[in-house]
Amino acid sequence: MSRSGKEFLRRICRWSVLHPHWALTLVTLAVLAPFLAKPFNIDDPLFVWTARQIQLHPGNPYGFDVNWYGVSQPMWSVTENPPLASYYLALAATIFGWSEVALHSAFLLPAIAVILGTYRLARYFCDHPALAALATLFAPVFLVSSTTLMCDVLMLAFWVWAILFWIEGTERNNFRQLCVAGLLIALAELTKYFGACLIPLLAAYSLISRRPLKTWGASLLIPLAALCAYQWATFALYGYALMSEAANYAAYAKGVIGFSGITEGLVALTFTGGCLAVAVFFAPLLWRKRTLVALAAGAALIIAALFIREAVMKKYSAIPGAFQSFVEIQIVFWATGGVCVLALPIADILRRRDARSWLLLSWMSGTFIFAAFINWTVNSRSILPMAPAMGILLARNLDQKNFTGRKNWPIAVVIAFVLGATLALLVARADFLLAKAVRQSAGQVAANYGRGPGTLWFQGHWGFQYYMAASGASAMDSEHFALKPGDNLVLPVNNTSLFPVNSKITALRETIAVSSPRLLATWNAPAGAGFYASTEGPLPFAIGNAPPENVFVFAVKRPVSVPPRKF
């Protein structure tokens, strides 16, 4: 590098040190800007449709019907999240419009808030808070979640800032800051129900810190009152208290899915390691060689000997037999990484034994227990709340090893960070390309068959449903439909809530295949990738040769209407 180039880099470094908030904001914008045009996918349409309803009827966010499981149902019985994220979308759409770029741009603010909040919070835990913030940014689960319109990153923003104000309020005995923290907890739980976990988390932190109950207890009445008001309001509107209904749904869905606790624990370890992969790349720097070898060997042997066959061979039959061994290797690697990640707060508390260590341990372990054994399925969105705690623990442990205190960081630190950031960007790109492939397949179907002469029907949901419905196609309702000769029926393979097609009534007309990410997939059953739900695959993302997005188009040969038993 030339002398002028080196001087330019020195100036950037000096400016970043002097203006860390601006530097982190610019890095976050630079990383997420390429994904602003990402098509709506997975559960994005639910939040967009709710936002449209809010614009028309702001006091009744779920007062409409939606066909999400193959039958028309009230939206309040379909959604499992409170509506605050959709209110935010409705506000953004009022100002900027409903395009993908406009709505994703609005969701840059929560992502920036998480990174800046992590930086501010990390200053209470470690000497290099910028490293903690960057580790959070480049966790694969954070990057991918920040490119969706779902409620997770917005909830995490409220979560991080609530903890920050709570710590500052308790240490300064500032009741106003504690009340702000209580308000942020209320906003978090009205964005996603998991936000209510902040109430016991911060109460336990205050008790361990030996803060008198009278100084902070009243501030927790704010989120408790918000929960009660939400329960009452939704019961008055819909006849059901929706937070309670979401808990009932989680219990019901777990029974239907039927995964054992062993399988769920293994999959949760795998998701933890993969979703927080940046910490896995730092593992050789965070642990002594003997400790790392013992962790890795022990975890690998137990996983391989006891759990792999049950998890992959029995539960994930869509994975081709020739590919299963490669999936098992990835499970062992990321599950071992998950063990190393979960060991970070344990090692920290053994060294320090203070209230902040207990906070980090409770934060990490509580999130893992929820993701593995309480939520309806293991998914990356449930792992996301661990990301800021992971970043703080990573920087905190590097401080202990005295890596970040040196004038020039060891090349190993740079390599670990570059590897983690590269993987996170590749995973985010794979999910972006998946969403594009889904929209493209819907567009090709609409262009080829949307002009008649018969009706164009479709099965499937998520982003495919959004773009098919936008083109004028009709969603199949398993309880109310009437097909006639000349109609066409579309079935996307990589989707959900599909019911079988009877060859006596229909004939395959065309298979539309759109290239999707081939070497790295976030959502593909044959590849074993189940980023949004482990029912699809045991990995948050999978390396391998994933098939393209296939869409079958059937021509209707004979008239049929409900109620047929088989279609």
Side-chain angles (χ1 to χ4, degrees):
M1 183 181 292
S2 65
R3 181 177 299 177
S4 60
K6 292 180 179 179
E7 180 60 27
F8 178 70
L9 285 178
R10 290 194 191 98
R11 289 181 179 179
I12 291 178
C13 291
R14 285 197 297 267
W15 181 86
S16 299
V17 171
L18 294 173
H19 305 90
H21 294 89
W22 283 110
L24 289 170
T25 298
L26 291 175
V27 171
T28 304
L29 289 173
V31 169
L32 294 178
F35 305 108
L36 291 180
K38 182 179 179 180
F40 304 148
N41 199 27
I42 309 298
D43 286 353
D44 287 347
L46 289 177
F47 293 90
V48 174
W49 292 331
T50 302
R52 291 183 182 275
Q53 166 73 9
I54 288 169
Q55 282 195 341
L56 298 175
H57 306 284
N60 187 14
Y62 299 136
F64 63 101
D65 291 342
V66 63
N67 180 341
W68 196 247
Y69 296 113
V71 61
S72 182
Q73 297 174 277
M75 180 62 177
W76 60 261
S77 69
V78 172
T79 186
E80 305 301 332
N81 294 290
L84 190 58
S86 292
Y87 277 97
Y88 178 67
L89 275 175
L91 176 62
T94 300
I95 301 172
F96 302 111
W98 291 98
S99 70
E100 290 94 336
V101 173
L103 297 184
H104 282 299
S105 296
F107 266 67
L108 288 174
L109 291 179
I112 293 171
V114 171
I115 300 306
L116 295 183
T118 301
Y119 172 81
R120 291 276 302 273
L121 182 61
R123 293 192 303 180
Y124 289 93
F125 291 84
C126 62
D127 295 331
H128 293 80
L131 177 61
L134 289 173
T136 302
L137 173 63
F138 287 107
V141 66
F142 181 79
L143 273 192
V144 175
S145 298
S146 296
T147 66
T148 73
L149 299 180
M150 293 178 257
C151 58
D152 308 279
V153 174
L154 182 59
M155 187 280 294
L156 186 59
F158 292 132
W159 177 287
V160 171
W161 283 91
I163 295 177
L164 174 64
F165 274 96
W166 190 269
I167 289 176
E168 292 183 349
T170 53
E171 294 195 353
R172 300 171 185 175
N173 200 22
N174 188 320
F175 185 69
R176 183 178 299 177
Q177 286 185 306
L178 289 171
C179 287
V180 171
L183 177 60
L184 290 169
I185 296 171
L187 294 174
E189 64 194 14
L190 293 177
T191 304
K192 188 172 182 177
Y193 297 125
F194 183 75
C197 295
L198 279 167
I199 299 174
L201 177 68
L202 295 180
Y205 168 76
S206 297
L207 292 173
I208 294 172
S209 301
R210 297 184 179 181
R211 305 290 177 177
L213 177 63
K214 62 182 180 181
T215 64
W216 53 267
S219 57
L220 290 183
L221 295 177
I222 298 173
L224 289 172
L227 277 182
C228 293
Y230 179 77
Q231 289 280 80
W232 175 84
T234 54
F235 185 84
L237 280 171
Y238 310 118
Y240 292 89
L242 295 191
M243 184 176 180
S244 301
E245 285 300 302
N248 293 336
Y249 171 80
Y252 165 77
K254 287 181 75 69
V256 171
I257 294 170
F259 278 24
S260 70
I262 290 176
T263 300
E264 288 178 327
L266 167 63
V267 172
L269 279 176
T270 304
F271 272 61
T272 299
C275 291
L276 307 177
V278 64
V280 177
F281 288 109
F282 273 92
L285 307 180
L286 298 173
W287 302 98
R288 294 178 180 177
K289 291 182 180 179
R290 291 181 180 179
T291 305
L292 185 62
V293 169
L295 284 173
L301 286 174
I302 293 172
I303 292 165
L306 300 179
F307 306 149
I308 288 294
R309 290 297 166 182
E310 178 184 357
V312 177
M313 302 296 284
K314 295 182 180 179
K315 297 295 184 180
Y316 298 104
S317 57
I319 301 173
F323 192 64
Q324 286 183 355
S325 295
F326 188 47
V327 170
E328 291 174 358
I329 292 172
Q330 295 179 72
I331 291 173
V332 171
F333 179 81
W334 291 121
T336 304
V339 172
C340 293
V341 170
L342 293 177
L344 285 175
I346 298 174
D348 185 69
I349 203 167
L350 290 176
R351 280 196 297 263
R352 303 173 191 265
R353 299 181 184 274
D354 57 15
R356 292 175 184 174
S357 294
W358 279 108
L359 174 65
L360 292 172
L361 176 63
S362 302
W363 184 348
M364 293 282 286
S365 60
T367 304
F368 179 82
I369 291 170
F370 175 85
F373 306 113
I374 298 175
N375 196 33
W376 71 276
T377 184
V378 179
N379 57 40
S380 297
R381 296 165 61 189
S382 297
I383 301 295
L384 175 64
M386 290 191 201
M390 174 277 300
I392 292 170
L393 282 163
L394 190 152
R396 195 166 160 94
N397 279 272
L398 282 177
D399 287 347
Q400 185 74 20
K401 298 294 183 181
N402 201 29
F403 278 110
T404 56
R406 301 177 187 176
K407 185 176 180 180
N408 296 310
W409 286 9
I411 189 64
V413 173
V414 178
I415 292 174
F417 190 82
V418 169
L419 288 174
T422 301
L423 177 63
L425 288 168
L426 290 174
V427 173
R429 177 180 178 272
D431 201 65
F432 176 80
L433 294 177
L434 169 67
K436 285 187 66 176
V438 170
R439 182 178 62 181
Q440 184 180 344
S441 65
Q444 287 189 20
V445 169
N448 294 344
Y449 302 98
R451 298 180 180 178
T455 302
L456 178 60
W457 300 91
F458 68 90
Q459 294 188 44
H461 304 285
W462 301 325
F464 185 81
Q465 176 179 7
Y466 182 89
Y467 292 106
M468 287 297 295
S471 71
S474 300
M476 286 292 300
D477 186 326
S478 61
E479 295 182 356
H480 304 91
F481 68 88
L483 302 180
K484 59 184 184 299
D487 290 352
N488 292 297
L489 172 63
V490 182
L491 191 151
V493 175
N494 190 22
N495 214 287
T496 188
S497 298
L498 307 175
F499 42 98
V501 174
N502 193 326
S503 60
K504 296 180 180 179
I505 298 170
T506 63
L508 181 63
R509 186 168 186 171
E510 182 183 3
T511 300
I512 296 176
V514 178
S515 295
S516 59
R518 301 301 300 274
L519 299 180
L520 184 64
T522 56
W523 187 251
N524 196 290
F531 185 92
Y532 297 100
S534 61
T535 52
E536 188 80 358
L539 296 163
F541 51 85
I543 299 171
N545 190 19
E549 288 294 305
N550 289 317
V551 177
F552 297 147
V553 181
F554 295 91
V556 178
K557 299 185 298 183
R558 293 168 50 187
V560 61
S561 60
V562 162
R565 291 195 175 273
K566 261 196 176 180
F567 172 75

